[in-house]
Amino acid sequence: MKIAIMGAMPEEVEPIVEKLDDMKKTVYAVNTYYEGRYHGQEVVVAYSKIGKVFATLTATILIEKFACNTLLFSGVAGAISDKLKIGDLIIADGLCQHDLDITAFGHPYGYVPEGEVCIPADVNLRNIAKNVAKEKGLILKEGIIATGDQFIANAERKDWIGNTFNADALEMEGAAVAVVCSSLNVPFFILRAISDSADMDASFNFDEFLESSAKISADFILSMVDEIK
Ligand code: 3QA
């Protein structure tokens, strides 16, 4: 077992990289990959940079070049559900692309031929997350996470995404990771801690809570690694 741990931004992986033993850095495809061990378990950590294209590249390299056979994503998200407050954790049961649109041809939003609107995350990893939450007495929400190449800071757009995809949170990488991992048959898991509510205050909240929420997510992911190995 070799576990990939991925984030999008440096802040999302730093709390993980700093805990690695025998750490070795490799630069590949204009990005840095951190190989090492966490409590003895072999892991490869990387942040992709923001958005679906970079996330696709990094997830593919973690699997194809670094031979990871499980992928965990850790990061922050904007809340859609008003039950989600800043710092709350949500795991994706499924991921969709809110900016994928060929509706002009009669297809639903988020759908292209031979793809699926919503890609489910690995059930076993989701169950491990629920066990970790139980043990630690943490509240873990589960729901659909919508991904797109847009930082959402607009209540109308956020509500549209929520209504169209039945999504509870939104971000910019999860569905790209889902496409890669489901295509390559690698079990994957997407965890996010809320940094903002994707409305007019989003950019201010994001700047204030990126680091603290990223850390909440990263700590949870590390507890999951202990449980998986
Ligand atoms: C936002 C990050 C991107 O990787 C997606 C955070 C949190 N709130 C969101 C929102 N809409 C969409 N996604 C999110 N991540 C990158 S833009 C800020 C860049 O600052 C999840 C996410 N409301 C860089 C400094 O210039």
Side-chain angles (χ1 to χ4, degrees):
M1 167 91 82
K2 200 183 202 184
I3 303 174
I5 307 177
M6 195 180 145
M9 301 180 74
E11 291 85 350
E12 291 172 327
V13 302
E14 257 155 28
I16 296 166
V17 171
E18 72 184 19
K19 299 229 164 86
L20 298 186
D21 298 318
D22 313 323
M23 202 264 282
K24 179 184 151 199
K25 275 196 217 183
T26 304
V27 175
Y28 186 77
V30 208
N31 206 0
T32 306
Y33 292 80
Y34 304 87
E35 294 170 88
R37 290 181 177 279
Y38 181 73
H39 295 171
Q41 168 63 52
E42 224 185 325
V43 299
V44 187
V45 185
Y47 72 89
S48 58
K49 295 173 280 210
I50 294 161
K52 293 193 290 179
V53 177
F54 282 130
T56 301
L57 178 64
T58 300
T60 305
I61 289 169
L62 283 164
I63 295 164
E64 292 289 315
K65 182 175 168 66
F66 291 93
C68 293
N69 47 21
T70 291
L71 191 151
L72 310 177
F73 189 104
S74 178
V76 300
I80 298 175
S81 162
D82 49 24
K83 291 193 182 112
L84 284 170
K85 303 297 177 204
I86 286 167
D88 286 355
L89 287 165
I90 176 165
I91 65 176
D93 52 27
L95 296 115
C96 53
Q97 296 183 58
H98 67 70
D99 58 350
L100 188 56
D101 180 355
I102 58 164
T103 56
F105 298 89
H107 293 297
Y109 284 103
Y111 177 82
V112 293
E114 298 181 56
E116 40 189 333
V117 173
C118 188
I119 301 178
D122 184 71
V123 172
N124 181 42
L125 292 170
R126 279 150 62 189
N127 284 335
I128 289 170
K130 287 175 201 169
N131 289 338
V132 167
K134 216 172 178 184
E135 276 167 27
K136 298 197 167 277
L138 294 172
I139 294 168
L140 197 59
K141 219 184 176 280
E142 187 171 18
I144 292 172
I145 294 183
T147 302
D149 282 328
Q150 300 161 349
F151 182 82
I152 306 297
N154 175 310
E156 214 175 296
R157 175 74 188 160
K158 155 185 147 162
D159 290 342
W160 180 86
I161 293 167
N163 294 330
T164 306
F165 297 96
N166 194 22
D168 286 320
L170 54 85
E171 35 86 313
M172 302 178 69
E173 297 83 18
V177 171
V179 168
V180 170
C181 292
S182 64
S183 304
L184 295 172
N185 253 315
V186 169
F188 74 95
F189 172 80
I190 311 284
L191 175 72
R192 299 275 183 169
I194 300 301
S195 57
D196 59 86
S197 47
D199 54 15
M200 58 193 272
D201 300 323
S203 56
F204 306 102
N205 290 342
F206 181 82
D207 282 339
E208 187 174 349
F209 297 109
L210 166 63
E211 217 176 283
S212 54
S213 292
K215 172 92 170 106
I216 290 170
S217 177
D219 287 346
F220 192 94
I221 287 284
L222 288 173
S223 303
M224 280 182 70
V225 173
D226 285 330
E227 199 79 6
I228 292 169
K229 69 176 168 70

Short mmCIF file of all heavy atoms in Angstrom, two decimals, residues 101-109 111-113:
data_model
loop_
_atom_site.label_atom_id
_atom_site.label_comp_id
_atom_site.label_asym_id
_atom_site.label_seq_id
_atom_site.Cartn_x
_atom_site.Cartn_y
_atom_site.Cartn_z
N ASP A 101 -20.77 22.01 -19.28
CA ASP A 101 -22.07 22.39 -19.82
C ASP A 101 -22.18 22.15 -21.32
O ASP A 101 -21.67 22.93 -22.12
CB ASP A 101 -22.30 23.89 -19.49
CG ASP A 101 -23.63 24.42 -20.01
OD1 ASP A 101 -24.36 23.68 -20.70
OD2 ASP A 101 -23.94 25.58 -19.71
N ILE A 102 -22.82 21.05 -21.70
CA ILE A 102 -23.22 20.87 -23.11
C ILE A 102 -24.74 20.71 -23.16
O ILE A 102 -25.28 19.91 -23.92
CB ILE A 102 -22.48 19.69 -23.80
CG1 ILE A 102 -22.70 18.35 -23.09
CG2 ILE A 102 -20.97 19.98 -23.91
CD1 ILE A 102 -22.30 17.13 -23.97
N THR A 103 -25.40 21.51 -22.33
CA THR A 103 -26.87 21.46 -22.26
C THR A 103 -27.52 21.87 -23.58
O THR A 103 -28.67 21.53 -23.82
CB THR A 103 -27.40 22.37 -21.13
OG1 THR A 103 -26.91 23.70 -21.34
CG2 THR A 103 -26.96 21.88 -19.76
N ALA A 104 -26.77 22.58 -24.43
CA ALA A 104 -27.30 22.96 -25.75
C ALA A 104 -27.70 21.73 -26.57
O ALA A 104 -28.50 21.85 -27.50
CB ALA A 104 -26.25 23.78 -26.51
N PHE A 105 -27.16 20.56 -26.20
CA PHE A 105 -27.48 19.33 -26.93
C PHE A 105 -28.48 18.46 -26.16
O PHE A 105 -28.62 17.28 -26.46
CB PHE A 105 -26.19 18.56 -27.24
CG PHE A 105 -25.27 19.34 -28.12
CD1 PHE A 105 -24.32 20.20 -27.57
CD2 PHE A 105 -25.37 19.27 -29.50
CE1 PHE A 105 -23.48 20.95 -28.38
CE2 PHE A 105 -24.54 20.02 -30.32
CZ PHE A 105 -23.59 20.87 -29.77
N GLY A 106 -29.12 19.05 -25.17
CA GLY A 106 -30.15 18.32 -24.43
C GLY A 106 -29.62 17.47 -23.29
O GLY A 106 -30.37 16.74 -22.64
N HIS A 107 -28.32 17.57 -22.99
CA HIS A 107 -27.75 16.81 -21.88
C HIS A 107 -27.90 17.58 -20.58
O HIS A 107 -27.93 18.81 -20.59
CB HIS A 107 -26.26 16.53 -22.13
CG HIS A 107 -26.02 15.60 -23.28
ND1 HIS A 107 -26.47 14.30 -23.28
CD2 HIS A 107 -25.38 15.78 -24.46
CE1 HIS A 107 -26.12 13.72 -24.41
NE2 HIS A 107 -25.46 14.59 -25.16
N PRO A 108 -27.93 16.88 -19.45
CA PRO A 108 -27.98 17.60 -18.17
C PRO A 108 -26.65 18.32 -17.87
O PRO A 108 -25.60 17.94 -18.41
CB PRO A 108 -28.22 16.49 -17.15
CG PRO A 108 -27.88 15.21 -17.81
CD PRO A 108 -27.98 15.41 -19.28
N TYR A 109 -26.70 19.31 -17.02
CA TYR A 109 -25.47 19.98 -16.54
C TYR A 109 -24.53 18.94 -15.94
O TYR A 109 -24.96 18.01 -15.27
CB TYR A 109 -25.80 21.03 -15.48
CG TYR A 109 -26.40 22.29 -16.05
CD1 TYR A 109 -27.77 22.55 -15.94
CD2 TYR A 109 -25.60 23.23 -16.69
CE1 TYR A 109 -28.34 23.70 -16.47
CE2 TYR A 109 -26.14 24.38 -17.23
CZ TYR A 109 -27.50 24.61 -17.12
OH TYR A 109 -28.04 25.75 -17.65
N TYR A 111 -22.76 16.73 -17.43
CA TYR A 111 -22.66 15.45 -18.15
C TYR A 111 -22.00 15.62 -19.51
O TYR A 111 -22.30 16.56 -20.24
CB TYR A 111 -24.06 14.85 -18.36
CG TYR A 111 -24.04 13.56 -19.17
CD1 TYR A 111 -23.75 12.35 -18.56
CD2 TYR A 111 -24.29 13.59 -20.54
CE1 TYR A 111 -23.71 11.17 -19.30
CE2 TYR A 111 -24.25 12.41 -21.29
CZ TYR A 111 -23.96 11.21 -20.67
OH TYR A 111 -23.91 10.06 -21.40
N VAL A 112 -21.09 14.72 -19.86
CA VAL A 112 -20.64 14.55 -21.25
C VAL A 112 -20.73 13.07 -21.59
O VAL A 112 -20.64 12.22 -20.70
CB VAL A 112 -19.19 15.06 -21.50
CG1 VAL A 112 -19.09 16.58 -21.35
CG2 VAL A 112 -18.17 14.37 -20.61
N PRO A 113 -20.93 12.74 -22.87
CA PRO A 113 -21.04 11.33 -23.25
C PRO A 113 -19.86 10.50 -22.73
O PRO A 113 -18.71 10.95 -22.79
CB PRO A 113 -21.05 11.37 -24.79
CG PRO A 113 -21.66 12.70 -25.09
CD PRO A 113 -21.14 13.63 -24.03
#
